[in-house]
Amino acid sequence: MRKVFVFAAFCLVATLGLMVSSCGKEEEPIAPVVDDTTADTIPVTPENTPTIIGVWHMIEATQDVQGNVVDMINFYGENFCLTFMEDGTLITSDGINDTQMQWTLEGNQLGFIQAPGAPAVMYELRELTDERLVIVNGVGTGIETTMIFERK
């Protein structure tokens, strides 16, 4: 009986030791391998890649309903702006009212999450430069809204 107790105690101590060792600090991310053979090409770095982060003022908005194009700038207002923050916060403003929501960007798919748990309203990112942003909602539905912004 004593041998069984000692063996069980030993197993318990060994198991606790493994559990404690797994609670250490998180592993460091693996650094990318730099290939010196491509030194003659221009690398894409955060410094020369346009970012959506910042304040964007709407300069044009149109809605195409099966070939019938309508100017939508009055719907949004002449002072309509989008402010994208690094933490995923998006503020929409018409110059009087501000609305806070969240944004996501995966590839060319830009999502506006208007309320926690709500599905994102999706936009296709058509153009992003240092000074110009073009997004389209409703791609392929027959009712497409195109919004063009310039950096403020």
Side-chain angles (χ1 to χ4, degrees):
M1 178 80 171
R2 182 178 166 138
K3 287 182 183 181
V4 172
F5 177 75
V6 171
F7 180 75
F10 175 77
C11 289
L12 180 64
V13 170
T15 304
L16 289 174
L18 290 174
M19 291 173 48
V20 171
S21 69
S22 68
C23 294
K25 70 175 188 172
E26 294 183 23
E27 292 182 25
E28 295 292 323
I30 298 172
V33 176
V34 177
D35 183 5
D36 290 336
T37 61
T38 59
D40 58 342
T41 62
I42 300 172
V44 177
T45 61
E47 294 86 38
N48 63 10
T49 302
T51 179
I52 199 166
I53 304 300
V55 180
W56 297 90
H57 178 257
M58 180 182 282
I59 57 172
E60 186 178 325
T62 57
Q63 189 170 66
D64 184 342
V65 181
Q66 299 177 348
N68 184 23
V69 179
V70 177
D71 183 2
M72 297 294 291
I73 200 75
N74 288 331
F75 176 79
Y76 292 99
E78 292 187 21
N79 296 316
F80 187 78
C81 289
L82 298 175
T83 303
F84 294 90
M85 298 183 185
E86 288 185 34
D87 68 355
T89 300
L90 171 65
I91 298 174
T92 63
S93 177
D94 63 4
I96 299 171
N97 300 306
D98 293 350
T99 303
Q100 183 174 324
M101 56 185 82
Q102 297 295 307
W103 67 275
T104 61
L105 179 60
E106 293 183 30
N108 71 338
Q109 296 300 303
L110 178 62
F112 292 2
I113 304 166
Q114 298 175 351
V121 176
M122 298 307 295
Y123 294 83
E124 182 178 288
L125 181 63
R126 293 268 174 96
E127 182 180 344
L128 176 60
T129 66
D130 288 334
E131 299 300 321
R132 185 176 163 98
L133 170 67
V134 179
I135 58 176
V136 180
N137 176 258
V139 175
T141 65
I143 302 174
E144 292 184 2
T145 304
T146 302
M147 294 177 253
I148 302 173
F149 297 85
E150 64 182 14
R151 193 175 298 274
K152 197 169 182 183

